[in-house]
Every structure is written in C-alpha cells, then in structure tokens.
Amino acid sequence: MKDLQFNRHRRLRSSAGIRAMVRETVLQKEDLIYPIFIIDGENIKNEISSMPGIYQLSMDNLRAEMDEVVELGIKSVILFGVPFEHDKDEQGSGAFHHNGLVQQATRLVKELYPEMIVIADACLCEYTSHGHCGLVEGDKILNDASLDLLAKTAVSQAEAGADIIAPSNMMDGFVAAIRAGLDEAGFEDIPIMSYAVKYASAFYGPFRDAANGAPQFGDRKTYQMDPANRMEAFREAESDIAEGADFLIVKPALSYMDIIRDVKNTVKLPVVAYNVSGEYSMVKAAAINGWIDEKAIVLEMLTGFKRAGADLIITYFAKEAAAWLRDEKN
C-alpha cells in the first residue's frame, strides 16, 4: 500500500468550510429575475392551477407582491400582461397601449420602488385574438408587418419607465426594429434583453395557462427554434448581437444547458437562462407529492444554470430561492 500513487481529491471536500472555500459557482439572490403576471380588474389573485404558488395579480394586489419581492432582496422583475379575452384583437393593440397592463404595472412598481429593475416582456401573443406573436394573414404569421407593432410596444413600455425591454416574439429583425424604435423615441440608453435563443418547447404549457396566450390555430414552430438544433442558436445569437441586443436569453434552460454553455463561450454579452413554467411545475408537483427535497433540487438546478454559463436566471422559484439563500447566510 505504501507504493500506491494517487491524488487525494477528498482533501478539498473534508469540511463544509473547505468546500465553501473552493466552490467554483456561487448562486446569489442578485442573479434572480422574478416573473409577475398582471391581470385586468380589481381584488384578483388567481393561483395558476398548473403552477402552484404563482398568481395572476390585479394592480391593487401588485403592491403586496412587490413588498415581498423587495424584502427578499430580489433586484429585478419581468412583467407580463394578462388581458381579458374581450380586450384582445388581431393586432394585439393592448401590448402597445399607453395604459396597457404592463405599462400600468411598470409605473406602479417604479413609483413604489424606483431602484427595482423592471423588465418588460415585449410580445403580442397575450394580446392577440389568435394567440400568435405577430400579425396573421390566413394561416401565415407575417414577419415584417409585425415589426412596427413590436417597436411600438417597446417604446410604450420605455415611456412607462421600464428599465429593460425583453422582446420574446422571435420574428426575424425584431431586435433591429425595436432598437431603431427606441433610439428614434429618445431611449438610446434602454437595453434590450432579447429572447435570442428561444426553442419551440413543450415546456411552455403552464405559461400558456398563466398568460392565457395559447395559439388559436397551429403552433409557433415557424418562428421558434427546433429543439433538435444547436448551430441555429449561434446564428440567432449573432444576428441579435449585430442588431443591437444587450443581453441574450436562452429559453428553456433545463434541457438546454449545453446551449447556455455554447452561447456563453461564443458571445461577450450577459447570458440569461429562462427557467420556464414546465420546469417549475414538474419540480413543484414532485415536491408536493413528497418525492423530492424541493429546496435542495431547486438550488442545485439554479446553480447548474450558472455553472453552465448563465449570468442571470429568470425563474418562478425566485422568491423561494432568495429566502433559502438568505437563511443559509444567517
């Protein structure tokens, strides 16, 4: 036995203190972006059946939600509007209305907490009667004709006080159109957090319950990416960078950690992982049934996204994760 030669890797795992000392990836509450769904009406707090613990909130309930978010130390939120069906139209005009849901919520959040970073999701799908992310002619999603409306949406959100615009529609040229629209309106300093690498994923199902935004016909495979493709992610990311994006989102995250790493290795911009609704719901369902340790699973998963290369994480677990991270420090 004295002649054996081998490395003693366990020396650096021998105590909690040493493990913390050599830890390569650290998850912080500042990494987390919390999504909030704003619904029209008063005194509404609808729990989303497929997303336990996540709610559609009317404006009067947003204050309490933001108080909790701030108390937990979360520094940024992303806002989604959930209009009633009778308020939707073929153009999705509620997306760019001065008093649209995201615009109203943005003004309220910035009034309550000026230092909170408000990210506005800029898309038409929640507001269109057909549920698609662009204008429709027959069964075709019109690309170029949709760009002006997306730019109008971004400008109206910036006028309301949004700190960052996050366009999620996946129309070709959407970043260029939005950048031009923002610049022409005097918002040269507003960054664009582009959903640059967005796959046509089955993991979005619960979100469509939350945002009441499922397509009324067909699917989104003609504008969202094929889950089988890797090289396409580079093409999409390169285009958005050239058009003026400031952040790049990879969505979903859990099944696309290789893509997160690929994008991080390729670009110099901050990379954002979107831990989507289906990923949230699977973990929640397993936790409710007592099959997993929710805290351990969630923190491991979020740390995995960071290890894969994400600088920021949009996640429905943001509040819980922030509380767990705070408790660990205490």
Side-chain angles (χ1 to χ4, degrees):
M1 293 294 289
K2 291 181 180 179
D3 295 331
L4 289 177
Q5 298 294 321
F6 55 88
N7 293 318
R8 295 195 177 275
H9 301 292
R10 290 180 58 189
R11 289 171 181 156
L12 300 185
R13 306 172 193 152
S14 59
S15 70
I18 291 176
R19 291 193 296 273
M21 182 184 292
V22 300
R23 187 162 293 139
E24 299 172 26
T25 304
V26 178
L27 179 69
Q28 307 175 86
K29 63 182 183 299
E30 289 81 5
D31 303 327
L32 307 174
I33 300 169
Y34 185 55
I36 299 177
F37 297 97
I38 307 300
I39 194 167
D40 208 356
E42 295 181 357
N43 196 29
I44 299 173
K45 186 176 182 181
N46 294 334
E47 186 171 28
I48 300 156
S49 60
S50 56
M51 299 178 69
I54 303 298
Y55 298 85
Q56 297 170 333
L57 299 170
S58 55
M59 212 68 64
D60 53 337
N61 281 318
L62 179 58
R63 180 186 296 268
E65 182 80 342
M66 289 308 306
D67 289 345
E68 183 180 2
V69 166
V70 169
E71 192 275 331
L72 288 167
I74 296 169
K75 305 299 184 183
S76 52
V77 295
I78 182 167
L79 302 178
F80 298 88
V82 187
F84 293 129
E85 288 298 324
H86 63 261
D87 290 328
K88 299 182 180 186
D89 58 35
E90 290 189 358
Q91 286 195 319
S93 57
F96 47 85
H97 194 283
H98 173 73
N99 283 322
L101 292 170
V102 168
Q103 289 81 352
Q104 290 183 57
T106 297
R107 287 192 286 268
L108 178 58
V109 172
K110 296 303 286 186
E111 178 186 335
L112 294 172
Y113 295 107
E115 299 305 312
M116 175 64 60
I117 299 297
V118 174
I119 305 167
D121 179 79
C123 197
L124 304 179
C125 60
E126 296 101 325
Y127 305 90
T128 54
S129 52
H130 46 73
H132 280 286
C133 301
L135 294 175
V136 168
E137 187 175 89
D139 61 355
K140 184 178 181 181
I141 316 305
L142 302 178
N143 191 93
D144 296 9
S146 303
L147 298 180
D148 284 345
L149 298 185
L150 294 167
K152 285 178 66 175
T153 299
V155 170
S156 72
Q157 292 169 337
E159 289 173 342
D163 298 286
I164 299 172
I165 304 300
S168 59
N169 55 89
M170 288 296 283
M171 298 293 112
D172 291 336
F174 71 100
V175 174
I178 288 172
R179 184 71 273 160
L182 289 171
D183 291 354
E184 289 171 11
F187 295 108
E188 299 92 342
D189 294 332
I190 298 293
I192 295 174
M193 181 182 285
S194 171
Y195 287 68
V197 182
K198 183 178 180 181
Y199 286 89
S201 173
F203 284 98
Y204 301 151
F207 177 90
R208 290 169 185 171
D209 291 340
N212 298 339
Q216 298 301 303
F217 68 90
D219 53 41
R220 294 175 177 156
K221 292 181 180 179
T222 64
Y223 46 103
Q224 295 178 2
M225 293 168 52
D226 185 337
N229 291 355
R230 174 172 174 259
M231 298 306 296
E232 188 178 2
F234 298 120
R235 298 196 296 271
E236 289 283 356
E238 288 165 1
S239 292
D240 285 12
I241 292 169
E243 292 173 17
D246 301 283
F247 303 79
L248 301 179
I249 297 175
V250 177
K251 180 182 180 183
L254 192 58
S255 292
Y256 298 86
M257 291 173 74
D258 59 323
I259 305 300
I260 295 172
R261 172 47 58 190
D262 282 340
V263 171
K264 184 62 177 178
N265 286 346
T266 306
V267 308
K268 294 182 172 63
L269 297 181
V271 175
V272 184
Y274 198 139
N275 179 208
V276 300
S277 59
E279 298 165 354
Y280 172 88
S281 296
M282 289 191 305
V283 172
K284 270 292 178 186
I288 289 168
N289 279 284
W291 298 335
I292 60 170
D293 180 332
E294 182 178 7
K295 174 184 174 182
I297 289 285
V298 170
L299 293 180
E300 181 178 343
M301 179 174 65
L302 298 180
T303 301
F305 299 149
K306 285 209 68 181
R307 190 187 65 246
D311 299 287
L312 298 164
I313 304 166
I314 302 171
T315 178
Y316 303 98
F317 285 113
K319 290 197 299 184
E320 290 154 306
W324 292 327
L325 292 170
R326 178 189 59 191
D327 293 345
E328 285 185 354
K329 284 189 175 181
N330 296 335

